[in-house]
Amino acid sequence: MINKEKVAIFGAGGFGREVYHLLADCIDGLLYDCVGFIDCEDKLGLPVPVIGHENNMDQLLEDYQFSNCVLALGDVHKRKEVSRKLVKYSLKFPKIIGSSVKCYSKDIAEGVIIYPATVIMNDCKIGRFTLLNSGVTLGHDVVIGDFCNINPGVNLAGRVTVGDSTFIGIGASVKENVTIGKNVIIGAGSVVLNNVLDNTMVYGIPAKAAL
């Protein structure tokens, strides 16, 4: 009989349901048994039920005996907020990496979720609770901070640096040696040729700051 680690998924939206299916893969040599979703409301059509709300964590841990959590919350700031609330519970946050991911780097932090068909080249660093969606490509020596969303089809060339809590939209591309600050939003399909300051929104080809 194969022993499985119990895990709960925070967030029962589309992101959470996708993560549930990714858990079917063997992750870090472990298999996971999902006890349910943690969300503010019950939802229909879920593969496993909503077991409760984050405000009832003590009772949920007692009732369901899980020690692993996945933060499937699309809003980067909400993800950060919940991670801080959970610190006192000494939970584990597994790295979820799709079976078709090609990864040539080892520096991937806790809570990272990497969707299928993503390619990560050598000497990259991925920060805590960052999402790399389907078909992302990272060139060599890319550094991505904590709590970022890198959306489907994004291309980051070699030696790109991305600050914490940054959102890069679908199909955007970033030129080599570019530094993107913290709390940045890059619009879908944009081509970033120059550094981007903290707390900035840019979009277009080439990408420019929103007025």
Side-chain angles (χ1 to χ4, degrees):
M1 184 176 180
I2 299 174
N3 291 324
K4 293 185 177 182
E5 297 250 345
K6 291 185 177 180
V7 61
I9 299 173
F10 276 77
F15 185 10
R17 287 181 281 120
E18 289 173 345
V19 165
Y20 173 83
H21 292 292
L22 288 175
L23 282 169
D25 286 341
C26 184
I27 300 162
D28 285 344
L30 298 173
L31 291 172
Y32 289 91
D33 177 24
C34 182
V35 299
F37 294 95
I38 298 173
D39 205 298
C40 59
E41 59 181 317
D42 285 330
K43 297 181 180 180
L44 299 176
L46 298 175
V48 290
V50 172
I51 59 174
H53 188 270
E54 65 188 68
N55 293 338
N56 302 321
M57 278 299 297
D58 291 299
Q59 190 63 50
L60 294 176
L61 288 165
E62 181 178 340
D63 291 345
Y64 293 94
Q65 299 292 306
F66 60 91
S67 58
N68 299 273
C69 283
V70 181
L71 302 190
L73 303 165
D75 185 304
V76 296
H77 302 293
K78 177 65 173 177
R79 203 182 308 156
K80 186 174 184 179
E81 175 189 335
V82 170
S83 73
R84 287 176 172 172
K85 290 180 180 179
L86 296 179
V87 167
K88 64 180 180 180
Y89 297 107
S90 300
L91 293 162
K92 294 180 288 186
F93 299 95
K95 293 173 277 189
I96 298 179
I97 302 174
S99 58
S100 65
V101 170
K102 298 293 185 183
C103 182
Y104 304 99
S105 296
K106 296 181 179 179
D107 199 346
I108 298 174
E110 67 173 356
V112 168
I113 300 172
I114 306 176
Y115 275 48
T118 286
V119 177
I120 301 169
M121 295 309 297
N122 51 291
D123 302 311
C124 294
K125 297 180 180 180
I126 314 298
R128 299 169 62 244
F129 301 104
T130 279
L131 165 66
L132 303 182
N133 217 307
S134 301
V136 168
T137 60
L138 306 184
H140 62 87
D141 301 289
V142 167
V143 177
I144 300 177
D146 302 336
F147 304 102
C148 293
N149 280 4
I150 314 299
N151 284 289
V154 167
N155 284 302
L156 305 184
R159 294 183 295 275
V160 166
T161 299
V162 179
D164 296 345
S165 303
T166 282
F167 178 99
I168 302 182
I170 294 171
S173 298
V174 182
K175 178 180 173 289
E176 70 274 7
N177 299 309
V178 165
T179 296
I180 297 168
K182 300 178 181 179
N183 300 308
V184 167
I185 297 175
I186 295 175
S190 297
V191 177
V192 182
L193 303 179
N194 300 297
N195 294 345
V196 180
L197 299 175
D198 293 351
N199 307 305
T200 303
M201 177 185 293
V202 300
Y203 63 92
I205 304 175
K208 296 181 180 180
L211 298 178

